[in-house]
Amino acid sequence: MSAVEGKRVLSGMRPTGALHLGNYHGALRNWVELQYQYECYFFVADWHALTTAYEDTSPIPQAIHEVVVDWLAAGLNPGVATLFVQSHVPEHAELHLLLSMITPLGWLERVPSFKDQQEQLRDKDLATYGFLGYPLLQSADILLYRPAFVPVGEDQVAHVEVTRELARRFNHLFGREPDFEQKAERAIKELGGRNITLYRQLRRRFQEAGDAAALERARALVESNTRVTVADRERLLGYLEGSSVTILPEPQPLLTVSPRVPGLDGRKMSKSYGNTIAMREDPDSAVRKLRTMQTDPARARRTDPGDPDKCPVFELHRIYSDSATQQWAAEGCRTAGIGCLDCKRPLIERIVEEIGGMRKRAQEFQDNPEVVANLLAEGGEKARETAHATLDEVRRAMHLRPQ
Ligand code: TRP
Ligand code: SF4
């Protein structure tokens, strides 16, 4: 097993086209680190794009390409992480359909983004079945890969919560098997040696005292055991908590601790605000944008002192500059010792350097789009294998013919 404890991580992004520095510092940088710690699956959620915009689908292929080039430019390594496109793996659609049968409408209507987005995106038709079912599609995306962790931003935590509820409901409905207890007891013996006693002790501590740490330890004990079969592992995991097999384990959201990246106008950097600097922005354009970026409005004149805490440029310093530079900027600002352009200079240098690195890494993929297409095809194959294994068990549990 290549990655730590063999745990899996899965996350996805919509094909929004070229990514910006907010996407990079908000999510991507974190993915790049995770790929060396876990077995990672990262995908472009192209079907998700259809849930909020179905009229014109023609820009989607190019948008997928741009996103993936940005992933590669940021340092995602297709030799380490599995990178793929959702629609290349039709298993997502089948699991979505099967889960839809057991999903109460209220669960979907209660997801905060359902009402919020309908209010915010008034110019779009969001009165569709697809839009209502979008958190369910996301649940299928996740559960197919049985990840331990799903790195997401704050706005997506509610979706992972729905995913967990669905997994629980599915296991409860379809994880029942005749003679479950006998089979589970037999599986315990397969753990071997002192793990048998340890499993029993931890299980009792959880069931009798609700000891969550004991449950965690017992799970780790089962998951790290290479002697038991997959079916027995699921029984043992399920037996810890109740009387059904865990077919779809519950994933945990992995809240990315990342800075808020301010956009050029001081609001959060976001494509919909038109205040972004692209990860592969033309350097001259980046310099121009940064030179005119919003500062503390109190510094109308060069001689007016400012407050770094009220300045979006200083927020960028916090991300990009070392502490000596931050101190220099803060003090110069408060005493009007430096002008805003002086303050921006080291920042501009760092950002242009960062963008330059990304542009350089992206070049070979821009020149050879077939390299990107090929690595996505390969990633899709690998993802399908994993997805297929889960789906096979789902079908079996539901008495649908496994293929
Ligand atoms: N809904 C996510 C977003 O809008 C994208 C997404 C789709 C996703 N499927 C996922 C994220 C599965 C994590 C896991 O950003
Ligand atoms: Fe912002 Fe720097 Fe200008 Fe102060 S000196 S207002 S921190 S840009």
Side-chain angles (χ1 to χ4, degrees):
M1 227 165 267
S2 59
V4 178
E5 300 165 47
K7 284 200 176 168
R8 258 185 218 149
V9 159
L10 170 124
S11 198
M13 257 186 217
R14 289 176 177 234
T16 49
L19 300 176
H20 53 69
L21 295 178
N23 302 124
Y24 175 62
H25 291 282
L28 212 41
R29 234 177 59 175
N30 188 241
W31 289 12
V32 173
E33 278 176 35
L34 287 169
Q35 73 182 334
Y36 296 112
Q37 295 162 10
Y38 300 96
E39 179 191 346
C40 286
Y41 289 79
F42 297 123
F43 72 100
V44 186
D46 55 345
W47 282 336
H48 282 262
L50 305 179
T51 63
T52 49
Y54 55 78
E55 313 83 358
D56 185 9
T57 55
S58 61
I60 293 179
Q62 183 61 22
I64 294 173
H65 175 79
E66 295 298 328
V67 165
V68 176
V69 169
D70 280 331
W71 287 2
L72 298 164
L76 279 188
N77 180 348
V80 176
T82 304
L83 312 180
F84 66 102
V85 178
Q86 181 184 35
S87 66
H88 295 185
V89 186
E91 283 78 2
H92 290 238
E94 185 173 337
L95 187 59
H96 174 233
L97 174 111
L98 294 175
L99 292 177
S100 78
M101 307 298 171
I102 64 162
T103 307
L105 272 178
W107 287 15
L108 297 175
E109 287 160 348
R110 259 189 280 118
V111 173
S113 62
F114 181 61
K115 284 227 155 54
D116 290 357
Q117 296 222 36
Q118 283 192 330
E119 277 161 26
Q120 277 168 28
L121 309 173
R122 284 196 179 277
D123 52 327
K124 295 206 167 148
D125 173 17
L126 298 184
T128 61
Y129 176 57
F131 180 67
L132 175 68
Y134 135 61
L136 181 55
L137 181 57
Q138 182 161 355
S139 299
D141 297 338
I142 296 170
L143 295 174
L144 263 185
Y145 299 89
R146 305 200 243 206
F149 302 113
V150 184
V152 284
E154 198 91 58
D155 61 319
Q156 296 289 319
V157 172
H159 297 155
V160 181
E161 200 41 56
V162 171
T163 307
R164 290 166 57 81
E165 282 171 23
L166 265 165
R168 225 173 292 147
R169 184 163 165 82
F170 185 92
N171 294 330
H172 173 73
L173 288 168
F174 301 110
R176 297 183 181 284
E177 58 177 359
D179 307 325
F180 174 76
E181 309 231 329
Q182 286 97 311
K183 284 181 180 151
E185 285 293 334
R186 218 177 303 140
I188 293 177
K189 302 212 176 75
E190 297 295 323
L191 285 169
R194 55 184 295 278
N195 284 340
I196 299 176
T197 331
L198 189 55
Y199 177 94
R200 289 219 165 91
Q201 279 170 351
L202 292 168
R203 176 171 181 263
R204 199 171 324 117
R205 267 180 22 216
F206 173 68
Q207 296 205 338
E208 287 170 14
D211 184 342
L215 177 62
E216 266 312 298
R217 275 187 63 199
R219 280 196 185 132
L221 181 145
V222 173
E223 277 160 5
S224 63
N225 192 296
T226 49
R227 297 163 58 142
V228 295
T229 62
V230 174
D232 273 348
R233 196 187 62 193
E234 284 162 7
R235 288 187 186 106
L236 289 168
L237 290 173
Y239 196 46
L240 289 170
E241 290 178 88
S243 57
S244 54
V245 181
T246 301
I247 299 161
L248 300 174
E250 290 175 44
Q252 293 280 352
L254 197 63
L255 247 185
T256 318
V257 263
S258 55
R260 184 191 97 114
V261 181
L264 299 168
D265 57 0
R267 289 184 292 176
K268 183 182 151 104
M269 190 178 283
S270 158
K271 195 154 189 166
S272 53
Y273 294 150
N275 63 358
T276 63
I277 297 175
M279 281 172 58
R280 286 178 282 138
E281 183 96 26
D282 168 72
D284 290 341
S285 154
V287 172
R288 238 176 296 126
K289 286 180 170 180
L290 286 163
R291 288 171 76 95
T292 52
M293 178 169 174
Q294 173 75 44
T295 61
D296 176 4
R299 283 205 83 178
R301 277 176 301 250
R302 165 72 179 76
T303 47
D304 296 331
D307 181 352
D309 292 329
K310 295 194 180 125
C311 177
V313 172
F314 196 74
E315 265 182 280
L316 287 182
H317 269 302
R318 287 212 173 91
I319 299 171
Y320 283 97
S321 303
D322 57 26
S323 58
T325 310
Q326 288 186 36
Q327 247 170 24
W328 163 83
E331 196 178 308
C333 177
R334 289 199 184 95
T335 58
I338 57 171
C340 288
L341 264 183
D342 301 321
C343 177
K344 287 173 175 178
R345 209 162 283 129
L347 197 54
I348 291 176
E349 212 170 285
R350 281 287 297 113
I351 291 178
V352 167
E353 189 184 302
E354 180 174 84
I355 290 174
M358 309 260 201
R359 288 170 67 91
K360 205 164 146 210
R361 278 195 295 271
Q363 195 62 50
E364 69 165 294
F365 303 110
Q366 278 172 309
D367 295 343
N368 306 291
E370 73 283 359
V371 172
V372 178
N374 287 343
L375 74 87
L376 288 176
E378 235 171 79
E381 289 287 314
K382 168 113 191 288
R384 280 198 80 173
E385 268 173 42
T386 306
H388 181 87
T390 307
L391 203 50
D392 224 28
E393 282 176 44
V394 165
R395 291 192 192 117
R396 190 149 23 111
M398 294 180 81
H399 305 286
L400 301 164
R401 193 170 61 88
Q403 282 166 1

